[in-house]
Amino acid sequence: CEPREPTRTGMSKEALKQAYIDNLFFIQGRFREVATPHDLYMAAAFTARDRLLERWVRSAQLFKSSHARTVCYLSAEYLLGPHLAKTLINLGITQAAREAAEELELDFTAVLEEEEEPGLGNGGLGRLAACFMDSLATLRIPAIGYGIRYEFGIFDQRIEDGWQVEVSDNWLRNGNPWEIPRPKICFPVCYGGHTERYRDADDQWRTRWVPAMVIQGMAYDTPILGFGTDNVNLLRLWKSEAAESLDFQAFNIGDYYGAVHAKIEAETISKILYPNDEPEAGKELRLKQQYFFVSCSIQDMIRLHLNTVGPIERFDRKFVAQLNDTHPALAIAELMRLLLDEHGMDWEQAWGITHRTFCYTNHTLLPEALETWPVALLERLLPRHLEIIYEINQRFLDQVRIRFFADDARVARMSLIGEDGERQVRMAHLAVVGSHQVNGVAELHSELVRTTILRDFHDLWPERFTNVTNGVSPRRFIMVSNPRLGRLISEVCGNTSWARDLEQLRRLEEHADDPAFQARWREIKSAAKRDLADWMAARTGVDLDPVQLFDVQAKRIHEYKRQHLNVLHIIRTYQRIKQDPNHDLVPRAFIFGGKAAPGYFAAKLLIKLINAVAEVINHDPEVNGTIRVAFMPDFNVKNGQRLYPAADLSEQISLAGKEASGTGNMKFSMNGALTIGTLDGANIEIRRAVGEENFFLFGMDAETVAHRQAEGYRPWDHYHGDPELRADIDLINSGLFSHGDTSLFRPLTDQLVNHDPFMVLADYRAYLEAQEHVSSAYRDPARWTRMSILNVARMGHFSSDRAIREYAERIWAVEPLPVESGQ
Ligand SMILES: CCc1ccc([C@H](C)CC(=O)N[C@@H]2O[C@H](CO)[C@@H](O)[C@H](O)[C@H]2O)cc1
């Protein structure tokens, strides 16, 4: 007789049903009648998890036995998003699960909605790390993602009276079925104290670090399954805890606070994610966090190496480590410390291994985002690392002095230590000197990295600099977030292999002018717009009409991303309606989403301005619904998945030269939105791929921006020279959007008219003209739909699989290691 499918790992509808009932009973201790929505979700999560673990164990066995060269991705952020739907997609059992749920009379969508997303990141950098982990597993490349298991992730955003209100994100309150605690994988992490020199057994001078405080880091493992493969990689996140969780002596003498003081202090380190996507100077806890996960990760890599291949001298053959921006750059000094002080290596050998191990990715050009740490703080917190950084610097500057003879200015510019004002360690310089490859995240950005912030280093080591343009996971951002579109593409391609070979999207081109296909295409977009409109109505009370052009700008709120330029267009449109209510206008819904760093006042005022403008326009009878303005609260991965499929127009309007790449631009375009944008970041490459005629370009390019800024930019000339622009700014100052308070938005408008560092006024006119082109294109559904289909068809290049393939071939020199399919 047919061998009975194992319940715990069977992939059929029947096996899933049985496993679900078992898990509801044996894990949640519930039977159906009394189960809460959370119980129903947890039972589903554990059912999916079991199938993950089965593959994970087989992957781990193969990786261990084959001593596979492994990529370690070091990132302070991972914006993973909800696991369940994605895991079902990657297991290929979404349909079976949906049918099982039906037969169990479970509301499948409600179960998925129940999941709390792990918001362990701020924005682009954190989400990129998550997409890369998905692609590493899908491409069957052995990899470990190392990071921090923040107890509190990025805050939940509420909008109250138009203002952002931050609510702490206690995402672990109901437990996390997707992680496995590893109490036995624990490492000491030291801080403070001093160093001392001593002679070792072979009479060699050595240094030992005598720390003032030792805590420990404990591993929590989350399996990361690839799509259409049994390869499962590891995401290992560290939680900080006290070496001793209770000081009994203190307890005995009744000092109860003292008894738990060490515990509280230790746990604070991995307590919360810093909610800024631009650094805040000298935050000691931030430095402690960075060193904490770096030290645990490097110690773990050495343990894994010595447990499998060894010897330590071959460490860089086993591991290649990618530094996700400078946040983990201390890893360079930490590996040197362990190789010198604990493995008794000499400097040259240790440096060789370190340099061949690390690679560094830069994600931002904004000067204020290039991390530096006060020498005084490092001296106090990490005295041994400061010594090592000094030694690295000395040997490095010796090279510079020889290569660039008598060029002291260059030496000062390149030094790891900034001497102007308070002495600072320049983390980007440490990252470049300690890495054998350095890359930017889009062609323009990598070019600007080479010619501006790291120009001197490029002069010295041109061979070290390269580019890998970002990508996004088509599994999450098409199949999970837009299943209707996913199904249509599978129909055209005959199966789902396009999801791991995205160039297959090209096959949509031949249907671009087919009226029947166009009609289905438009229906898919309208359905997504209806879903979003329902959600927005429930959350914000704003009624969006799917007939309207959904014009969406969703990303962190930041002046260089120019949400205020978008607002000026909305106000211009409003003024035109007020001046001529019969003005023939394409109905639009202007939809915003994005969090502001809590300490970033201008960004928070921008959110208030958007909501204030919405309030007036949405309630103005003369507008009568032609246009609507709405702010989606709590823009995160889950809510992003509602927005990307529903957008007609994607706003990518940053000042050229400021947005390193952008990844939202790729997600919108992959879901059929057309882009209005500047020649910035990956917009340039998207426009090249989809065709200039299918992209609404406007504004200055990076060169013109640099030129205009060099010659002295005078924003007030635009204010005085353009009556419509002046009228729009004056309307903000009139108090119309602030119940007559003419001062509320002054900080924004004064900044625009007097400084305008991101040249909003300079690009205003060109932006308005481009928006006219958008409206006229939208009036012709056949033309618009054709452009939309061609946009999706030509987005294959922007899969994170392509980006990871480039890293693997050009930077990491690592090969795939397929895990045989268990089925
Ligand atoms: C220390 C605080 C902090 C936190 C995060 C960051 C990140 C580098 C900011 C970030 O997310 N950068 C974005 O990275 C994306 C992925 O490469 C790019 O697509 C975006 O253009 C870039 O802004 C800087 C400083």
Side-chain angles (χ1 to χ4, degrees), residues 77 122-129 274-280 286 290 324-327 361-364 366 368-371 441 470 556 560-561 658-666 681:
E77 303 185 18
N122 278 285
L125 171 138
R127 180 58 233 177
L128 186 83
Y274 266 83
N276 332 302
D277 60 356
E278 302 309 335
E280 277 184 296
R286 170 88 179 169
Q290 293 184 349
N324 200 19
D325 216 277
T326 57
H327 313 153
T361 301
N362 173 283
H363 294 269
T364 180
L366 298 178
E368 72 271 17
L370 299 177
E371 287 191 303
V441 290
N470 283 163
R556 288 294 297 245
Y560 85 81
K561 295 173 186 283
K658 299 299 178 190
E659 188 69 83
S661 164
T663 44
N665 45 11
M666 299 165 186

Side-chain angles (χ1 to χ4, degrees), residues 69-87:
R69 180 167 164 77
T70 301
V71 174
C72 292
Y73 202 79
L74 296 175
S75 180
E77 303 185 18
Y78 289 93
L79 212 33
L80 296 166
H83 290 272
L84 184 52
K86 164 86 165 5
T87 303

Side-chain angles (χ1 to χ4, degrees), residues 318-351:
K318 164 73 178 177
F319 287 120
V320 58
Q322 192 69 33
L323 302 175
N324 200 19
D325 216 277
T326 57
H327 313 153
L330 279 169
I332 292 162
E334 176 69 356
L335 181 56
M336 282 301 286
R337 178 182 76 86
L338 294 165
L339 295 177
L340 294 169
D341 299 356
E342 306 216 347
H343 293 273
M345 245 181 227
D346 64 37
W347 184 276
E348 283 68 27
Q349 190 179 25
W351 184 247

Side-chain angles (χ1 to χ4, degrees), residues 382-657:
L382 301 168
R384 180 59 180 139
H385 296 78
L386 186 60
E387 286 175 1
I388 290 170
I389 289 170
Y390 280 153
E391 180 78 16
I392 293 172
N393 198 33
Q394 180 176 303
R395 290 164 181 261
F396 162 59
L397 294 181
D398 290 349
Q399 280 182 50
V400 174
R401 288 190 191 89
I402 292 162
R403 179 76 170 59
F404 300 96
F405 207 62
D407 186 342
D408 295 344
R410 181 185 292 268
V411 168
R413 283 197 314 269
M414 297 182 80
S415 175
L416 272 53
I417 312 295
E419 308 284 354
D420 36 6
E422 188 196 15
R423 298 179 72 231
Q424 302 268 344
V425 176
R426 298 159 166 164
M427 300 311 280
H429 293 200
L430 172 63
V432 173
V433 172
S435 297
H436 62 275
Q437 281 282 296
V438 175
N439 75 286
V441 290
E443 290 170 10
L444 172 65
H445 171 63
S446 297
E447 178 60 23
L448 291 171
V449 164
R450 280 193 290 266
T451 57
T452 61
I453 50 169
L454 298 175
R455 179 196 193 91
D456 293 322
F457 293 89
H458 182 256
D459 293 347
L460 181 61
W461 299 311
E463 73 291 351
R464 274 191 207 184
F465 287 79
T466 185
N467 171 60
V468 180
T469 297
N470 283 163
V472 299
S473 165
R475 277 73 65 177
R476 182 170 291 276
F477 293 108
I478 299 181
M479 297 182 98
V480 171
S481 54
N482 199 344
R484 298 183 189 92
L485 178 61
R487 281 195 292 276
L488 180 63
I489 297 170
S490 297
E491 194 184 306
V492 169
C493 298
N495 55 43
T496 62
S497 62
W498 59 271
R500 50 178 302 135
D501 172 19
L502 210 57
E503 287 297 342
Q504 286 191 38
L505 290 178
R506 281 259 172 214
R507 302 174 67 171
L508 294 167
E509 287 216 27
E510 60 202 76
H511 303 276
D513 295 309
D514 166 12
F517 190 84
Q518 285 212 350
R520 295 181 64 188
W521 192 267
R522 281 193 289 273
E523 178 38 40
I524 286 171
K525 182 60 75 176
S526 304
K529 291 167 78 170
R530 279 194 296 275
D531 291 349
L532 179 67
D534 296 346
W535 191 89
M536 287 293 281
R539 284 295 181 301
T540 69
V542 177
D543 289 331
L544 304 176
D545 177 348
V547 169
Q548 294 168 318
L549 186 161
F550 278 21
D551 175 338
V552 181
Q553 185 171 22
K555 52 188 71 221
R556 288 294 297 245
I557 310 295
H558 198 291
E559 288 161 284
Y560 85 81
K561 295 173 186 283
R562 303 202 293 188
Q563 279 89 359
H564 33 9
L565 177 57
N566 191 333
V567 172
L568 286 175
H569 171 237
I570 295 171
I571 293 174
R572 173 69 359 226
T573 309
Y574 178 56
Q575 302 245 46
R576 288 188 175 144
I577 294 171
K578 298 299 279 185
Q579 278 140 20
D580 165 11
N582 311 323
H583 175 67
D584 171 25
L585 198 75
V586 168
R588 277 202 201 204
F590 298 95
I591 304 165
F592 291 84
K595 293 174 179 176
Y600 189 176
F601 176 68
K604 297 180 91 165
L605 191 53
L606 245 175
I607 292 176
K608 175 61 180 176
L609 175 63
I610 293 165
N611 286 299
V613 168
E615 197 58 30
V616 169
I617 289 179
N618 296 347
H619 297 92
D620 184 327
E622 284 188 78
V623 172
N624 159 33
T626 319
I627 61 173
R628 276 270 180 276
V629 183
F631 192 95
M632 165 189 258
D634 206 29
F635 174 63
N636 56 19
V637 177
K638 199 178 199 178
N639 293 333
Q641 291 176 189
R642 303 177 208 282
L643 268 183
Y644 301 125
D648 295 302
L649 187 68
S650 157
E651 297 273 353
Q652 307 299 332
I653 61 176
S654 53
L655 178 64

